[in-house]
Amino acid sequence: MQLRWPAWLSRLAPAALSLPSQCGACRAWPCRDVLCQSCWQRFHHTPRRCTGCALALPGIATERPRCGQCLQHPPPWVQAHAWCDYSYPWQTLITHWKLGQQPGLARHLAGWMQQAPDIAQAVAQAELLLPIPLSSERLRTRGYNPAAQLVQHLGAARHKQLLTTLVRTRDTPTQRGLTRAQRLRNLRQAFAVPQAQLAAIAGRHILLVDDVMTTGATFASASQCLLQAGAGSVSVLCLARTA
Ligand SMILES: [Zn+2]
Ligand SMILES: [Zn+2]
């Protein structure tokens, strides 16, 4: 059950109430940020990542590294970016955010993403930022699309996001526990670009944004849809990458 502040208390100090009072990892108190300084130093790493699948590639020093798998089977996008691995404590924060317990986290998460030089550059270079859409059924149950929240905060300054450019054509069964091949089958023709939006994407470089990237099947399906509909090129950006 979600606890709600009484209305009179929320009106009194809404900004202060939205600030976490404990570190999101070690629970140190008081903590005026999402994580305390020592947890940030302990858990925040910026490994070099494969530009195809965004998996961490320790020890590779080339300019645009690719793992063997991505060299053999290049993905449909130009470059993949991830801010963190989907592991503690980020996984816990993301779960709280997505379950609606801490909706304010979206702004912090997007802010952290923007501070990573490769992500800031990817956002700056994109002509359009598009969130991976949820099906209308899923959107109704959840009430919001986490990926769209990230796009809103990442691209808010330049109004790049167009939420209706890429749509979900049907409600796909959950991807959890499926292999990459099964996920790709599950997602076949799950995305579409409405006729009225074709001109908006024609020849454009698009940055597709999602909260968590697991096998890349969702990004692959959405990228192929955009490219077939006339987009110039696609790059992908996730907040967290499962290892
Ligand atoms: Zn801490
Ligand atoms: Zn790779």
Side-chain angles (χ1 to χ4, degrees):
M1 194 189 80
Q2 204 176 332
L3 288 173
R4 293 203 180 279
W5 296 101
W8 64 269
L9 194 55
S10 306
R11 270 197 304 276
L12 204 62
L17 290 175
S18 67
L19 278 177
S21 55
Q22 277 185 313
C23 167
C26 73
R27 297 281 153 212
W29 190 91
C31 173
R32 288 189 58 81
D33 221 324
V34 178
L35 291 186
C36 72
Q37 197 63 28
S38 71
C39 283
W40 183 264
Q41 279 167 1
R42 183 166 163 212
F43 295 114
H44 178 234
H45 309 290
T46 50
R48 287 187 73 85
R49 294 181 181 276
C50 167
T51 57
C53 61
L55 285 173
L57 282 179
I60 291 197
T62 54
E63 197 47 50
R64 284 164 61 91
R66 284 255 157 139
C67 71
Q69 179 70 18
C70 289
L71 284 172
Q72 233 175 355
H73 306 283
W77 49 80
V78 182
Q79 197 153 357
H81 307 267
W83 182 73
C84 66
D85 286 331
Y86 191 58
S87 59
Y88 183 83
W90 318 114
Q91 187 176 354
T92 312
L93 294 176
I94 292 168
T95 305
H96 287 169
W97 166 48
K98 288 175 68 172
L99 290 178
Q101 292 159 343
Q102 281 176 277
L105 273 176
R107 185 171 56 83
H108 292 277
L109 297 167
W112 294 340
M113 290 169 84
Q114 279 280 27
Q115 282 166 27
D118 71 306
I119 295 178
Q121 193 183 23
V123 170
Q125 285 174 346
E127 293 173 280
L128 278 176
L129 260 67
L130 297 182
I132 290 288
L134 288 183
S135 69
S136 42
E137 285 93 332
R138 198 79 65 83
L139 196 57
R140 255 199 306 279
T141 359
R142 177 166 278 165
Y144 70 98
N145 175 358
Q149 282 198 341
L150 289 179
V151 166
Q152 199 186 341
H153 290 290
L154 284 170
R158 285 169 297 123
H159 304 290
K160 281 183 171 181
Q161 70 276 17
L162 287 172
L163 297 177
T164 52
T165 305
L166 180 67
V167 296
R168 206 115 184 180
T169 50
R170 58 192 168 83
D171 192 25
T172 46
T174 176
Q175 300 273 84
R176 214 162 290 144
L178 299 185
T179 65
R180 184 180 155 80
Q182 288 168 330
R183 284 175 185 238
L184 280 170
R185 240 192 328 274
N186 190 19
L187 286 165
R188 201 168 290 157
Q189 290 171 353
F191 299 99
V193 179
Q195 197 72 23
Q197 298 290 342
L198 291 177
I201 65 156
R204 300 288 189 91
H205 176 60
I206 294 170
L207 185 64
L208 265 177
V209 180
D210 209 354
D211 45 331
V212 179
M213 174 177 180
T214 303
T215 64
T218 303
F219 272 144
S221 178
S223 300
Q224 275 151 1
C225 167
L226 286 166
L227 291 168
Q228 277 163 15
S233 51
V234 175
S235 281
V236 300
L237 165 64
C238 65
L239 167 63
R241 177 65 160 107
T242 60

